[in-house]
Amino acid sequence: MINIPTKTSGSLNSDNILSINHTRVQNALTRQDLATVNRGTCQSPDCRRSAGSTQQMPGPGSNNGSGSPAFRHGSTQQASGSNVRIGSGSPGTLHTSGTQQQTIHNAGYNTAQPAMSRTTVANTTSAGTTVRRKPPLRCLIQKGQKQSIGTAGQLKSIKIAMGWNTSNPQCDIDLSAYLLDSSGRVPGDDWFVFYSQTISPDGSVSLDVNGSLEDREIVTVDFTKLKPHIRKIVFVLTINEAFTRRLNFSMVSDAYIRLLDPETDREILSFLLTDYYANVTSMMLGEVYLYNDTWKFNAIGNGVARDLAGLCELYGVNTN
């Protein structure tokens, strides 16, 4: 069992959790089913793909290489201990649409891309939110696409960066990553990383909540340390205290995930979220998974009406 400490604007302490009152907004959450949306198309000539057949994405328990089942923290630090509990999550259902299988060269990195600029423009709106410009997304893929990123044993590591903007200053978004085995669930209660547990038990997955000039939060995956029974890593954005504050993903924009070569910061591929639902509080942006002897990325772009504790329940983490 693992207990999740409540987030605060400063340090997390299991003996002294601060409670912050926030103004509630009027957009009530619902539990309606998510509508199936049309997919976009790759917008970059750097995306090399072959035509594939359309498939149905299996659920979280699948091991065939598809399916799945978060605001930048500044001074937030890792908790000293984990004996602080968070409230239970609300039930939700993961909605997925059909997917399109794609294949690219297993060499992985396109080294011909120009170096990424390290400058980012940030503006503050009249509503008090900080708007950050998206970095160049050079090889966009569409929702539901799967692409090879490297061969098992040859792919050493990868950097996974995420960013977003919000229209409501209360939207405090967290990134979490769940390490799943072939059953689609965590092998143990501590096999996920989030703001209070930033490194996986095997040291293979680490979270930088302070991000970089371009990205709000970054996860680094070291495949040389990853335990063999881990077959999939799912990356999720969650709005902190969404139910209490009446917040949802219709207040979010410009959410993206991009995969980078950790040595050069050159983009391998990226996915820009286009569908923002008023009945969603957690959004699965994508997952890295092992299919046969190849590591692939799946652009998911679907969400659930669950908080962080609810997601833990979904993936088999015991927080009670």
Side-chain angles (χ1 to χ4, degrees), residues 82 126 178 312:
S82 60
S126 58
Y178 298 82
C312 287

Side-chain angles (χ1 to χ4, degrees), residues 118-131:
R118 299 294 297 178
T119 59
T120 297
V121 175
N123 297 312
T124 302
T125 68
S126 58
T129 59
T130 301
V131 177

Side-chain angles (χ1 to χ4, degrees), residues 43 50-51 82 148 183 198 210 222 232 239 252 261-262 266 277:
Q43 301 179 23
S50 61
S82 60
S148 301
S183 71
T198 58
N210 292 315
D222 186 341
K232 181 184 299 184
I239 303 176
V252 182
D261 179 343
R266 297 181 185 273
Y277 304 104

